[in-house]
Amino acid sequence: MSSPFERLNISDFLIKALEKQNFKKPTEIQERVIPGAINGHDIIGQSQTGSGKTLAFLLPVIHRVDPSKDEIQAIITAPTRELARQIYQEYEKLAQYFPEDQYVRAKTVVGGTDRKRMVDKLKNVPHVLIGTPGRIKDMVINEGINVYTATALVVDEADQMLDMGFIEDVDQVAARMAANLQMLVFSATIPEKLQPFLRKYMENPRYVHVNPEQVTAQDIKHVLIPTKHQDKTKLLIKVAKAYNPYLAIIFVNTKKTADEVADAMLAEGMNVERLHGDVPPRERKNIMKRVQNAEFQYLVATDLAARGIDIKGISHIINYELPRDLDFYIHRTGRTGRAGMSGIAATLFEPSDQLAIQKLKSCNIHFVLEELRGGEWVEIKTRTRKNASNREKGIVLPKPKKVKPGYKKKLLEEKKKLAKKRKGFK
Ligand code: AMP
């Protein structure tokens, strides 16, 4: 029987490895990137985590390796250790089906691990090197690891690389690779500042953009929960408990908020961990492992710390607040509803978020408005905005000031007195 993966023109053993993982057909990014990449084209892929982008570069890279040559033929760089390890794990899932005579070896090179051991590890030369830019640069420049033979370079999450100041390291590695370098760059956004790097190494790159709406077309229910001026953290705790998720990621915008929210949840006895830039790398790795093993029910995270991380089985995303850059809404929510599972992406919102929500709606995201009443989720029916009550618009008018009992009566008497006085003046 012919397989939908055949149209990618990849080796039979790779097709078999995909089928063994129960994948039915290529994702859009795979369909649009792989055939060109196999022919050696430079490609810029703009797509989010969850679109299947890792295999969109891994498959052509592995396909093009000549296993009979014991030399580094491709380098894959990722901005974080977790992401590099995750790419390696995707490789491992494929590698178990490689025939012995076509076995493509890959190794990871990341910071935070023993340098000497890493150098030793690389003595058995891999065909594909997967790692973080700083450590790869260190191995190439200080340890003399030969990458002149490598003809393919993948830069994953390039915009994040730029944010973290890693593009320079990638540049230094690229400069030591083969002259006829094929480059595959993947990024959720293509900031202007990335252009000089792209122009330096890429020749007439093909540009493949998978629209966010196609990414969000997964089975995700987008829920808006009006905060109605309630204490946000208390509301979050109520919401999180009501969902009773298998695994929920709670997204916040700053490290400080992450700590505050996680502390409040801990105080409630909830099974929660946190992931942000100030959590030391070693600990982060440990947290990731424990999250993967479903040891926690909740993970409070900032965008940068959690970006690109593929955690299986995320049933809920809760946005404690909307991200400042709305693209991140797509990154965040794309983590649930993966691989055919359904997911819920809930956002606590305030009246000041209306404009941002309109923008998201114009990206084809369909929201339902819900609130908790007596522990039950109730959909707030949206009428036309004109007719909608303030509550439906998420607008909460200030409550009338509390008045002392008898105050109104007194006021009325005062008014009467005043009216009498006035009459007397006439
Ligand atoms: P990524 O965008 O690379 O983070 O991939 C997200 C998830 O999609 C990973 O868990 C992959 O194993 C999975 N995946 C990749 N390609 C396919 C496919 N063709 N069909 C179904 N799932 C896939």
Side-chain angles (χ1 to χ4, degrees), residues 182-197:
Q182 175 192 28
M183 207 153 90
L184 306 174
V185 174
F186 286 79
S187 201
T189 58
I190 314 283
E192 193 48 42
K193 279 189 182 155
L194 197 61
Q195 293 297 347
F197 172 76

Side-chain angles (χ1 to χ4, degrees), residues 225-245 250 261 264-265 268 270 298 316 318 320 346 348 371-377:
I225 303 166
T227 56
K228 294 185 177 176
H229 290 205
Q230 298 171 72
D231 179 289
K232 223 172 172 181
T233 309
K234 282 189 187 146
L235 176 64
L236 172 90
I237 289 172
K238 260 197 257 170
V239 165
K241 282 185 178 171
Y243 279 134
N244 189 18
I250 294 144
V261 170
M265 292 175 82
E268 282 285 317
M270 295 166 86
Y298 305 98
H316 293 71
I318 305 174
Y320 178 79
L348 306 188
E371 67 181 354
L372 270 173
R373 284 188 210 150
E376 296 283 322
W377 284 110

Side-chain angles (χ1 to χ4, degrees), residues 23 25 30 49-55 90 310 312 338:
F23 296 160
K25 60 180 177 46
Q30 292 163 2
T49 298
S51 58
K53 72 181 165 74
T54 312
L55 286 177
E90 292 267 322
D310 182 25
K312 295 271 180 303
R338 288 208 193 164

Side-chain angles (χ1 to χ4, degrees), residues 283-297:
E283 178 140 352
R284 260 198 286 167
K285 192 178 153 195
N286 188 21
I287 291 170
M288 289 302 302
K289 216 194 242 158
R290 293 166 66 195
V291 171
Q292 289 286 17
N293 295 340
E295 285 178 40
F296 302 112
Q297 195 176 12

